[in-house]
Amino acid sequence: MAGWKLAYHANCWGALGGNAEGVTSITQLSYRTFGAMDRAFADIAAAGYQGVELFDGNLLDASAAEMRQSLADNGLKLVAAYAGGNFIFDDILPDELARVTRAADRAAELDAPHLVVGGGAKRFDGVRETDYHKLGGALDRVKAIADARGLRAHYHPHLSTIVEGPSEVAKIFDLTAIDFCPDTAHLAAAGGDPAQLIRDHAARISYIHLKGFQKDPFAFTPLDRGDVPTGPILEAIRDVGFAGWICTELDSWDDPAAGARISMEYLNRAMAD
């Protein structure tokens, strides 16, 4: 497991949401955690992680200088910015890509290696086959934005989008050149085997989201709690020769600092075996 570097997403330190202005102005919409990022950084560093991933809204709330100082104060590296969009509607795509560009500019300014996007809207009247082609084309444009700024771009399949389970994952990565950021919990919740998907798409994976999943009641959990064992996933990551950043995350937890520690304690045990 040499070569793995461990980061944590700062999305757990408050309620998840977006900018209300985005309801009427697409260009103003972003993901965000309604919480204090300085507290998140301190807790993440104290738990032993080396890096942090941020939603685009939180990343852009502070100036680059302020964010750089806050990261340095906690000994953390910004590993990735996460943004998203519908990516299938021609009229709003330029506005969505403008948002992605703002996030990519800031991520590059702070020397982050990765840019992650989620999306692919489900229409009110059902999914059209052409939507996959529109999404693939949009993701290639995201990749071009990232490439121009020295970032590695990734698509993150996500529940509630048109790319959830294994067949949809295979379909979209036949239609785009962007890298695959597997989120092990989302893939499992959609009926996939995260370890097998990592093996199947190893050549497209250079960044990973890792978290646990509980089926009933539905919940994301710290690593190796819930219904999806983390051991086989780590074995797959090792077997495909992955070397790079792995970002553990937990969308909601009553004590976010404790959640971060629980997952790090598991990783320390697993990586020592």
Side-chain angles (χ1 to χ4, degrees):
M1 298 181 185
W4 296 3
K5 294 175 285 188
L6 302 179
Y8 203 83
H9 204 304
N11 61 353
C12 195
W13 275 260
L16 305 185
N19 297 358
E21 299 92 335
V23 175
T24 52
S25 179
I26 292 295
T27 191
Q28 299 301 317
L29 186 59
S30 65
Y31 280 115
R32 65 173 54 257
T33 295
F34 294 97
M37 291 299 97
D38 54 353
R39 178 192 165 201
F41 289 179
D43 288 346
I44 289 167
Y49 297 90
Q50 302 165 273
V52 63
E53 179 177 324
L54 287 173
F55 283 143
D56 52 346
N58 297 106
L59 179 61
L60 293 166
D61 277 344
S63 70
E66 291 168 335
M67 186 62 69
R68 185 178 293 109
Q69 187 62 56
S70 185
L71 290 164
D73 287 346
N74 291 283
L76 292 174
K77 177 176 179 59
L78 178 67
V79 174
Y82 188 103
N86 293 274
F87 293 141
I88 65 166
F89 302 119
D90 295 339
D91 285 350
I92 66 170
L93 182 59
D95 292 278
E96 292 181 324
L97 293 175
R99 293 198 329 256
V100 171
T101 298
R102 287 200 299 271
D105 283 340
R106 179 56 54 84
E109 191 174 4
L110 294 169
D111 301 316
H114 299 297
L115 173 70
V116 185
V117 298
K122 287 185 176 180
R123 298 176 187 267
F124 79 97
D125 58 354
V127 179
R128 304 173 190 173
E129 189 62 27
T130 54
D131 291 343
Y132 290 99
H133 293 269
K134 288 180 179 291
L135 175 58
L139 294 176
D140 281 344
R141 293 180 68 177
V142 170
K143 182 178 185 300
I145 290 167
D147 287 348
R149 291 157 178 80
L151 301 168
R152 192 94 178 231
H154 312 261
Y155 176 61
H156 176 306
H158 201 286
L159 294 175
S160 80
T161 72
I162 63 173
V163 182
E164 296 180 332
S167 64
E168 296 154 350
V169 169
K171 178 182 292 189
I172 196 60
F173 287 109
D174 279 342
L175 297 171
T176 178
I178 202 168
D179 276 11
F180 172 26
C181 174
D183 182 301
T184 56
H186 278 271
L187 294 172
D193 177 344
Q196 188 59 51
L197 284 162
I198 287 168
R199 296 180 192 278
D200 291 346
H201 299 278
R204 298 291 285 272
I205 298 172
S206 55
Y207 185 55
I208 294 170
H209 278 189
L210 192 64
K211 63 175 177 268
F213 168 61
Q214 173 182 290
K215 295 178 182 178
D216 187 21
F218 181 98
F220 295 131
T221 69
L223 296 185
D224 219 43
R225 296 192 178 187
D227 300 305
V228 182
T230 306
I233 296 170
L234 296 181
E235 183 177 351
I237 296 170
R238 181 198 63 209
D239 288 349
V240 301
F242 178 86
W245 284 100
I246 297 174
C247 183
T248 302
E249 63 170 336
L250 189 55
D251 293 0
S252 177
W253 200 251
D254 287 343
D255 185 339
R261 290 195 302 271
I262 291 166
S263 287
M264 177 57 81
E265 289 164 1
Y266 169 79
L267 286 170
N268 284 334
R269 293 193 302 272
M271 293 170 70
D273 290 342

